[in-house]
Amino acid sequence: MVLPAWIVDLDGVVYRGSEVLPGAVEFFERAQSRGDPVVVVSNNSAPTVEEYVARLGRMGIRIGPRQVVSSALAAAQFLARRRLRGPVMAIGEAGLLQALGEAGLEVVAPDGAPASPKVEAVVVGIDRRFTYDRLTAACQAIRAGALFVGTNPDVTVPAEGGRLRPGCGSLLAAVSTCSGVQPVVVGKPHPPIMELAMERLGVGAAGARHEVIVVGDRLDTDIRAAKALGLKGALVLTGVTSRTDAGGGVRPDWIFDDLQHLTDALMGG
């Protein structure tokens, strides 16, 4: 019997800002009762793993730290495996800074960067305190030869009431424009974050027993990431993609109004 294993996006799928989306709690309860492996995978590098776990817990969703994969963790793993000799300049929030530190990387802040030692890499995540000075520091370091790494390409992120806010991709565009260098991106739809998610799922050794399904609200990241790995993709319409948008580009295997409809259709509702 082939069992499903789930890679589930968060923003626009499970929640939108502080709003819990329809069917989210039931999906995780049903997966747990069935014994389906689940990891949540977010391109948002701002929260720490502990913050993700606590936030979901307040929404009535219980997951463990090993079930959380963020673009911050993917960036930290990517850079740690390169065995850099010098420090890493980090533009981002607590989740990115913590992940880099726990990976054993020396981290320097972009503030006051002219007095900092030469950095080997500049990693840029979402940063709600992004300033002209931080942009200048990143630009100068990259022009001096530092590797430019971006946590994710999302130019917007969904917020309450259907609104959109600027995402990491908007900051990457600014840094890329002034430095003249395109970043290496580790978040969806690129391989590093998905490889980490598959490791956490633990389905590799028993791949024949599992059918991995990627659940997301974006064609350009979630569904594209699924198709790049030969996985099934389920699109939900509670985030940035409308049913009209879903008619072109990368094709999902399923389209659902929300997680409630997905749970009913794919998990024996």
Short mmCIF file of all heavy atoms in Angstrom, two decimals, residues 14-15 18 20-21 23-30 32 52-63:
data_model
loop_
_atom_site.label_atom_id
_atom_site.label_comp_id
_atom_site.label_asym_id
_atom_site.label_seq_id
_atom_site.Cartn_x
_atom_site.Cartn_y
_atom_site.Cartn_z
N VAL A 14 -1.87 27.23 5.59
CA VAL A 14 -2.29 26.94 6.96
C VAL A 14 -2.80 28.20 7.64
O VAL A 14 -3.79 28.18 8.37
CB VAL A 14 -1.12 26.33 7.75
CG1 VAL A 14 -1.49 26.13 9.23
CG2 VAL A 14 -0.70 25.00 7.13
N TYR A 15 -2.13 29.31 7.39
CA TYR A 15 -2.56 30.58 7.97
C TYR A 15 -2.27 31.72 7.01
O TYR A 15 -1.49 31.59 6.06
CB TYR A 15 -1.90 30.84 9.33
CG TYR A 15 -0.39 30.70 9.36
CD1 TYR A 15 0.45 31.58 8.68
CD2 TYR A 15 0.23 29.69 10.10
CE1 TYR A 15 1.83 31.47 8.73
CE2 TYR A 15 1.61 29.56 10.16
CZ TYR A 15 2.40 30.45 9.47
OH TYR A 15 3.76 30.33 9.51
N SER A 18 -2.35 36.26 11.13
CA SER A 18 -2.80 35.61 12.35
C SER A 18 -4.08 34.80 12.14
O SER A 18 -4.62 34.22 13.10
CB SER A 18 -3.06 36.67 13.43
OG SER A 18 -4.04 37.60 12.99
N VAL A 20 -6.17 31.66 11.00
CA VAL A 20 -6.08 30.24 10.68
C VAL A 20 -7.02 29.95 9.52
O VAL A 20 -8.19 30.35 9.54
CB VAL A 20 -6.47 29.36 11.89
CG1 VAL A 20 -6.20 27.89 11.58
CG2 VAL A 20 -5.71 29.79 13.13
N LEU A 21 -6.53 29.27 8.51
CA LEU A 21 -7.33 29.04 7.31
C LEU A 21 -8.18 27.78 7.43
O LEU A 21 -7.84 26.86 8.19
CB LEU A 21 -6.41 28.98 6.10
CG LEU A 21 -5.75 30.33 5.77
CD1 LEU A 21 -4.68 30.19 4.71
CD2 LEU A 21 -6.80 31.36 5.33
N GLY A 23 -9.84 24.31 7.52
CA GLY A 23 -9.38 22.94 7.39
C GLY A 23 -7.98 22.68 7.90
O GLY A 23 -7.53 21.53 7.91
N ALA A 24 -7.26 23.72 8.33
CA ALA A 24 -5.87 23.54 8.72
C ALA A 24 -5.73 22.61 9.92
O ALA A 24 -4.93 21.66 9.90
CB ALA A 24 -5.22 24.88 9.02
N VAL A 25 -6.49 22.86 10.97
CA VAL A 25 -6.39 22.03 12.17
C VAL A 25 -6.79 20.60 11.85
O VAL A 25 -6.11 19.64 12.26
CB VAL A 25 -7.26 22.62 13.30
CG1 VAL A 25 -7.28 21.67 14.50
CG2 VAL A 25 -6.74 23.99 13.71
N GLU A 26 -7.87 20.42 11.13
CA GLU A 26 -8.35 19.07 10.81
C GLU A 26 -7.34 18.32 9.96
O GLU A 26 -7.15 17.12 10.13
CB GLU A 26 -9.69 19.13 10.10
CG GLU A 26 -10.26 17.74 9.81
CD GLU A 26 -11.63 17.77 9.19
OE1 GLU A 26 -12.22 18.87 9.07
OE2 GLU A 26 -12.12 16.68 8.82
N PHE A 27 -6.67 19.01 9.03
CA PHE A 27 -5.67 18.34 8.19
C PHE A 27 -4.59 17.69 9.05
O PHE A 27 -4.25 16.51 8.87
CB PHE A 27 -5.03 19.34 7.21
CG PHE A 27 -3.84 18.78 6.49
CD1 PHE A 27 -4.00 18.05 5.34
CD2 PHE A 27 -2.55 18.97 7.00
CE1 PHE A 27 -2.89 17.50 4.68
CE2 PHE A 27 -1.44 18.43 6.34
CZ PHE A 27 -1.62 17.70 5.18
N PHE A 28 -4.03 18.45 9.99
CA PHE A 28 -2.94 17.91 10.81
C PHE A 28 -3.45 16.82 11.75
O PHE A 28 -2.75 15.84 12.00
CB PHE A 28 -2.25 19.04 11.57
CG PHE A 28 -1.37 19.89 10.70
CD1 PHE A 28 -1.84 21.05 10.11
CD2 PHE A 28 -0.06 19.51 10.44
CE1 PHE A 28 -1.05 21.82 9.28
CE2 PHE A 28 0.76 20.28 9.62
CZ PHE A 28 0.26 21.43 9.04
N GLU A 29 -4.65 16.99 12.28
CA GLU A 29 -5.22 15.94 13.14
C GLU A 29 -5.44 14.66 12.35
O GLU A 29 -5.14 13.55 12.84
CB GLU A 29 -6.53 16.43 13.74
CG GLU A 29 -6.36 17.52 14.79
CD GLU A 29 -7.68 18.03 15.32
OE1 GLU A 29 -8.73 17.74 14.68
OE2 GLU A 29 -7.69 18.72 16.36
N ARG A 30 -5.94 14.78 11.15
CA ARG A 30 -6.19 13.61 10.31
C ARG A 30 -4.88 12.92 9.93
O ARG A 30 -4.78 11.70 9.96
CB ARG A 30 -6.96 14.02 9.06
CG ARG A 30 -7.50 12.86 8.21
CD ARG A 30 -8.75 12.26 8.82
NE ARG A 30 -9.81 13.24 8.93
CZ ARG A 30 -10.65 13.55 7.95
NH1 ARG A 30 -10.56 12.95 6.76
NH2 ARG A 30 -11.61 14.44 8.14
N GLN A 32 -2.06 12.98 11.56
CA GLN A 32 -1.50 12.31 12.74
C GLN A 32 -2.23 11.01 13.03
O GLN A 32 -1.60 9.99 13.33
CB GLN A 32 -1.58 13.25 13.94
CG GLN A 32 -0.94 12.67 15.21
CD GLN A 32 -0.96 13.65 16.35
OE1 GLN A 32 -1.78 14.55 16.40
NE2 GLN A 32 -0.07 13.47 17.30
N TYR A 52 7.88 29.00 15.16
CA TYR A 52 6.95 28.29 14.29
C TYR A 52 6.11 27.29 15.09
O TYR A 52 4.88 27.22 14.95
CB TYR A 52 7.70 27.55 13.19
CG TYR A 52 7.97 28.36 11.94
CD1 TYR A 52 9.28 28.62 11.53
CD2 TYR A 52 6.93 28.84 11.16
CE1 TYR A 52 9.54 29.35 10.36
CE2 TYR A 52 7.18 29.57 10.00
CZ TYR A 52 8.48 29.82 9.61
OH TYR A 52 8.72 30.55 8.47
N VAL A 53 6.78 26.50 15.93
CA VAL A 53 6.08 25.49 16.72
C VAL A 53 5.06 26.14 17.65
O VAL A 53 3.91 25.69 17.76
CB VAL A 53 7.08 24.63 17.52
CG1 VAL A 53 6.36 23.72 18.51
CG2 VAL A 53 7.95 23.79 16.57
N ALA A 54 5.47 27.23 18.31
CA ALA A 54 4.57 27.92 19.25
C ALA A 54 3.39 28.55 18.52
O ALA A 54 2.25 28.49 18.99
CB ALA A 54 5.35 28.98 20.04
N ARG A 55 3.66 29.17 17.39
CA ARG A 55 2.59 29.82 16.62
C ARG A 55 1.54 28.80 16.18
O ARG A 55 0.33 29.02 16.32
CB ARG A 55 3.17 30.53 15.41
CG ARG A 55 2.13 31.24 14.55
CD ARG A 55 2.81 31.95 13.39
NE ARG A 55 1.86 32.75 12.61
CZ ARG A 55 2.20 33.48 11.55
NH1 ARG A 55 3.46 33.54 11.16
NH2 ARG A 55 1.28 34.17 10.90
N LEU A 56 2.00 27.68 15.64
CA LEU A 56 1.07 26.64 15.22
C LEU A 56 0.33 26.06 16.41
O LEU A 56 -0.87 25.75 16.32
CB LEU A 56 1.82 25.56 14.45
CG LEU A 56 2.32 26.00 13.07
CD1 LEU A 56 3.31 24.99 12.52
CD2 LEU A 56 1.17 26.19 12.09
N GLY A 57 1.03 25.92 17.54
CA GLY A 57 0.39 25.41 18.75
C GLY A 57 -0.76 26.29 19.20
O GLY A 57 -1.81 25.79 19.63
N ARG A 58 -0.56 27.60 19.13
CA ARG A 58 -1.64 28.53 19.51
C ARG A 58 -2.85 28.40 18.58
O ARG A 58 -3.97 28.75 18.96
CB ARG A 58 -1.12 29.97 19.52
CG ARG A 58 -0.13 30.27 20.63
CD ARG A 58 0.14 31.76 20.74
NE ARG A 58 0.78 32.32 19.57
CZ ARG A 58 2.10 32.39 19.38
NH1 ARG A 58 2.92 31.91 20.31
NH2 ARG A 58 2.60 32.95 18.29
N MET A 59 -2.61 27.90 17.39
CA MET A 59 -3.70 27.71 16.43
C MET A 59 -4.35 26.34 16.57
O MET A 59 -5.25 26.00 15.79
CB MET A 59 -3.16 27.90 15.01
CG MET A 59 -2.67 29.31 14.72
SD MET A 59 -1.96 29.44 13.04
CE MET A 59 -1.62 31.21 12.97
N GLY A 60 -3.85 25.55 17.51
CA GLY A 60 -4.40 24.21 17.71
C GLY A 60 -3.74 23.14 16.88
O GLY A 60 -4.26 22.03 16.75
N ILE A 61 -2.55 23.44 16.32
CA ILE A 61 -1.82 22.49 15.48
C ILE A 61 -0.56 22.08 16.21
O ILE A 61 0.30 22.92 16.50
CB ILE A 61 -1.47 23.12 14.12
CG1 ILE A 61 -2.76 23.48 13.36
CG2 ILE A 61 -0.59 22.19 13.30
CD1 ILE A 61 -2.53 24.34 12.14
N ARG A 62 -0.42 20.80 16.48
CA ARG A 62 0.73 20.30 17.24
C ARG A 62 1.73 19.62 16.31
O ARG A 62 1.41 18.64 15.66
CB ARG A 62 0.26 19.30 18.31
CG ARG A 62 -0.56 19.95 19.43
CD ARG A 62 -1.05 18.91 20.41
NE ARG A 62 -1.98 17.99 19.77
CZ ARG A 62 -2.50 16.92 20.37
NH1 ARG A 62 -2.16 16.62 21.61
NH2 ARG A 62 -3.35 16.13 19.73
N ILE A 63 2.93 20.20 16.25
CA ILE A 63 4.02 19.60 15.49
C ILE A 63 5.29 19.71 16.31
O ILE A 63 5.39 20.51 17.24
CB ILE A 63 4.23 20.28 14.12
CG1 ILE A 63 4.62 21.75 14.31
CG2 ILE A 63 2.99 20.17 13.25
CD1 ILE A 63 5.10 22.40 13.04
#
